Amino acid sequence: MASAKDPFQFQEFEEAGNLLEANRHATTISIEDEDISPEKQRKAAGFIPDGDDEDTLANDDKAELLSGQKKSVPFWTFEYYQRFFDIETHHVKERIIGSMLPWPGKNFIHVYLRRNPDLYGPFWICTTLVFAIAISGNISNFLVHLGKPNYKYTPEFRKVTIAATAIFSYAWLVPLGLWGFLLWRNNKIVNLVSYSFMEIVCVYGYSLSIYIPAVVLWVLPYEWLRWCSIVVALCLSGSVLVMTFWPAVRDDHPKVIIAIVSTIVVLNVLLAVGCKAYFFSKPELPVENSAATEVIKIPSPP
């Protein structure tokens, strides 16, 4: 049995009682109380600053994300377009593969976009296609005239500007016109499927991805290979567009259906054939003016 003067025995000190009486509103913590969390203990002891405002903002952001509701911002602000570039790499990869390998009965918007369009993939696809067309066109022109004595290679940087104007105009103006027409027809016929402008831009942007490997093949100076790659790219790209927008027009008037589908296909063909004809045509070599003189003999009088 331990003696009364055991130094290891817990004892109560009078100083602690005097301190509690002097400050009756002080918070006391017992080491035997297991219900109090360490955070509360540290806060009561004064080790954690008051962060109620930060916690409230964090909880509001969490609740906003969990509920799926985001504050609406004007379309001319940077925050509006920022969310269209917030996408995972594997999603972009799936959408590129889906645009290159269309499957009958699969709608690109419903299967791959799932009401979450992006501008990251379409922007870089269009940019890559612009430089691929310009660079391949210059290389093809160089290979065609390689070895000819009167040929001097000069890089044509203006092709980048012309290709960028053609590609980005097609990727933005055509979806804008199609979106406006579908919106007008949707007001006429209630049961039509409606797509947002960003969804249409996303579909057109990803549909151009098949042209990148086709343009690379155009470097080889074989016309049959170029036309074969054009036909394959047109079929795959056109199939993605037609199968995607078919649900939006199938319940409309037959004449309207034919007009919309024909416009989609014709504009796609004009883009591909126009790029091939302009950037990969054989330019004529400059003809040097030779100082040839003609000797005219004047007959002498008899």
Side-chain angles (χ1 to χ4, degrees):
M1 183 173 179
S3 63
K5 296 182 179 180
D6 188 359
F8 298 102
Q9 184 178 2
F10 289 101
Q11 300 177 9
E12 294 183 0
F13 299 93
E14 294 180 0
E15 289 81 357
N18 295 333
L19 289 174
L20 291 176
E21 290 183 3
N23 189 4
R24 296 182 178 274
H25 298 287
T27 304
T28 60
I29 302 173
S30 175
I31 60 174
E32 297 179 357
D33 193 356
E34 298 179 354
D35 296 334
I36 301 177
S37 62
E39 290 80 5
K40 292 183 179 179
Q41 293 177 1
R42 289 193 295 269
K43 187 174 181 180
F47 294 112
I48 297 181
D50 189 9
D52 292 340
D53 296 337
E54 296 180 0
D55 293 342
T56 304
L57 293 175
N59 291 334
D60 291 343
D61 293 339
K62 261 186 206 177
E64 183 179 332
L65 290 174
L66 291 175
S67 61
Q69 298 176 355
K70 300 196 77 174
K71 295 179 181 178
S72 59
V73 292
F75 70 91
W76 59 82
T77 59
F78 178 76
E79 289 78 7
Y80 178 82
Y81 298 95
Q82 186 177 6
R83 60 192 178 97
F84 293 109
F85 290 87
D86 187 11
I87 186 173
E88 299 292 336
T89 305
H90 64 91
H91 288 158
V92 177
K93 183 179 178 181
E94 290 176 357
R95 295 175 181 185
I96 292 176
I97 295 175
S99 65
M100 289 185 175
L101 301 174
W103 195 257
K106 283 189 176 182
N107 190 312
F108 186 83
I109 292 179
H110 295 162
V111 176
Y112 297 102
L113 299 189
R114 295 184 292 272
R115 297 296 177 183
N116 186 27
D118 72 284
L119 293 179
Y120 180 85
F123 172 78
W124 285 112
I125 288 173
C126 293
T127 304
T128 305
L129 183 59
V130 166
F131 284 98
I133 290 175
I135 295 173
S136 299
N138 279 277
I139 295 176
S140 175
N141 187 20
F142 173 75
L143 294 178
V144 167
H145 300 97
L146 183 63
K148 295 183 180 180
N150 57 343
Y151 173 71
K152 183 179 179 181
Y153 173 74
T154 54
E156 301 179 68
F157 295 105
R158 61 185 178 85
K159 288 186 175 182
V160 178
T161 305
I162 298 174
T165 303
I167 297 300
F168 280 96
S169 298
Y170 174 82
W172 280 92
L173 296 182
V174 175
L176 179 61
L178 182 60
W179 170 73
F181 185 83
L182 293 179
L183 188 63
W184 172 65
R185 295 304 300 174
N186 194 21
N187 294 330
K188 295 279 186 179
I189 303 175
V190 184
N191 295 328
L192 292 180
V193 179
S194 62
Y195 297 137
S196 66
F197 174 65
M198 287 301 172
E199 288 176 336
I200 299 177
V201 170
C202 189
V203 173
Y204 265 86
Y206 279 104
S207 68
L208 295 175
S209 60
I210 188 61
Y211 287 108
I212 296 176
V215 166
V216 174
L217 291 177
W218 292 355
V219 173
L220 302 177
Y222 302 108
E223 286 296 319
W224 64 269
L225 180 61
R226 292 176 179 177
W227 284 110
C228 288
S229 61
I230 287 177
V231 172
V232 173
L234 281 175
C235 291
L236 296 177
S237 179
S239 299
V240 172
L241 296 175
V242 172
M243 287 190 298
T244 300
F245 296 109
W246 175 251
V249 298
R250 62 184 175 187
D251 295 330
D252 209 328
H253 195 275
K255 292 184 179 179
V256 177
I257 297 175
I258 296 174
I260 289 294
V261 174
S262 300
T263 303
I264 292 174
V265 174
V266 168
L267 290 177
N268 196 14
V269 172
L270 287 178
L271 178 69
V273 176
C275 288
K276 191 267 175 191
Y278 181 82
F279 295 100
F280 295 89
S281 60
K282 295 181 180 180
E284 296 181 358
L285 294 176
V287 180
E288 298 181 357
N289 294 326
S290 58
T293 57
E294 294 182 0
V295 180
I296 302 176
K297 293 182 179 182
I298 302 176
S300 58

